Amino acid sequence: METGTGLIWALIAAVEHKCDLINMSYGEATLLPDYGRFVDLVNEVVNKHRLIFVSSAGNSGPGLSTVGAPGGTSSSIIGVGAYVSPAMAAGAHCVVEPPSEGLEYTWSSRGPTADGDLGVCISAPGGAVAPVPTWTLQRRMLMNGTSMASPSACGGIALLISAMKAEGIPVSPYSVRKALENTSVPIGDLPEDKLSTGQGLMQVDKAFEYIQKCQNFPCVQYQINIQQSGKTMGSAS
């Protein structure tokens, strides 16, 4: 990524300040998924320092394999897709006939990745009214996309971490991700919907109940190294 130096400094700062959670709401296309200096450092931050990394999946849909890097193409990052509810469609977008059920924004990026991964982990609400600079001559602006969905998911995960610490449950990026994926509500009825929605709309309360029930189960991590054209590529789960 062209901002690699800044991103690396951000990771160093997150580790030094003993952060629990990172959100990153931008990315770009990549030639090699799950590969590169920044991805190696993200893997170290997640697997060694146990930070939870959340990032936007991208806004290049609805075409297949449009997920961006690093949010949708890195195995140790929780990639988030953008969801819109019927109330959001009516209130934020003035849709005359809002959908009867919630759905993914049509331009939310889709998997799969070039190496066969799903690409999107979970989905979260993808709309927000955000403050903008005064020189734009407008006080508020409606922003939509996975850049809004990712911090929404990050806030939900912050609630999970807070509750886990309050009850003395060890915080692990693996147990949190497993809880989120196993308790999300599916969006759409077709198998291919998972390419854009991941495991579905995150449910903070259900995820915490899952963590409470599974807190004594062992957490297993697998590291896979593949030698390809003289380059070592790794993934973890």
Side-chain angles (χ1 to χ4, degrees):
M1 301 182 69
E2 74 277 10
T3 53
T5 302
L7 292 174
I8 291 172
W9 278 108
L11 290 179
I12 293 173
V15 172
E16 289 181 343
H17 288 83
K18 301 185 185 301
C19 295
D20 297 303
L21 186 60
I22 297 174
N23 175 70
M24 178 174 161
S25 280
Y26 61 95
E28 60 186 20
T30 182
L31 178 64
L32 297 174
D34 219 2
Y35 177 78
R37 176 60 177 161
F38 177 67
V39 173
D40 290 340
L41 292 176
V42 168
N43 291 337
E44 181 178 340
V45 164
V46 173
N47 299 327
K48 180 180 179 181
H49 298 284
R50 294 297 192 263
L51 273 75
I52 300 171
F53 200 119
V54 186
S55 185
S56 51
N59 304 320
S60 300
L64 294 174
S65 301
T66 52
V67 285
T73 61
S74 304
S75 56
S76 57
I77 294 177
I78 298 176
V80 185
Y83 167 87
V84 56
S85 68
M88 289 172 60
H93 302 292
C94 300
V95 176
V96 177
E97 296 182 2
S100 59
E101 297 180 352
L103 48 86
E104 208 79 353
Y105 277 102
T106 55
W107 32 258
S108 185
S109 290
R110 303 182 70 185
T113 60
D115 57 355
D117 204 350
L118 186 60
V120 183
C121 178
I122 58 173
S123 294
V129 175
V132 296
T134 54
W135 55 262
T136 62
L137 302 182
Q138 55 186 35
R139 297 286 182 94
R140 297 182 300 172
M141 179 182 292
L142 178 65
M143 308 292 289
N144 306 289
T146 58
S147 290
M148 304 296 118
S150 184
S152 176
C154 197
I157 296 172
L159 295 175
L160 289 177
I161 294 175
S162 177
M164 293 172 72
K165 289 187 174 183
E167 296 200 5
I169 302 174
V171 178
S172 163
Y174 316 119
S175 60
V176 170
R177 179 168 183 164
K178 180 174 67 174
L180 290 170
E181 291 180 337
N182 286 333
T183 58
S184 293
V185 174
I187 304 170
D189 300 323
L190 301 175
E192 55 267 30
D193 288 331
K194 286 187 177 295
L195 294 174
S196 56
T197 66
Q199 302 304 324
L201 181 64
M202 68 178 295
Q203 307 290 308
V204 176
D205 52 347
K206 300 298 182 183
F208 184 59
E209 291 175 4
Y210 184 97
I211 289 173
Q212 287 177 310
K213 293 178 181 178
C214 301
Q215 60 179 300
N216 295 321
F217 291 178
C219 188
V220 180
Q221 174 195 358
Y222 300 95
Q223 186 74 32
I224 302 173
N225 292 319
I226 303 173
Q227 192 72 21
Q228 180 179 344
S229 301
K231 301 176 181 178
T232 301
M233 305 176 68
S235 62
S237 61

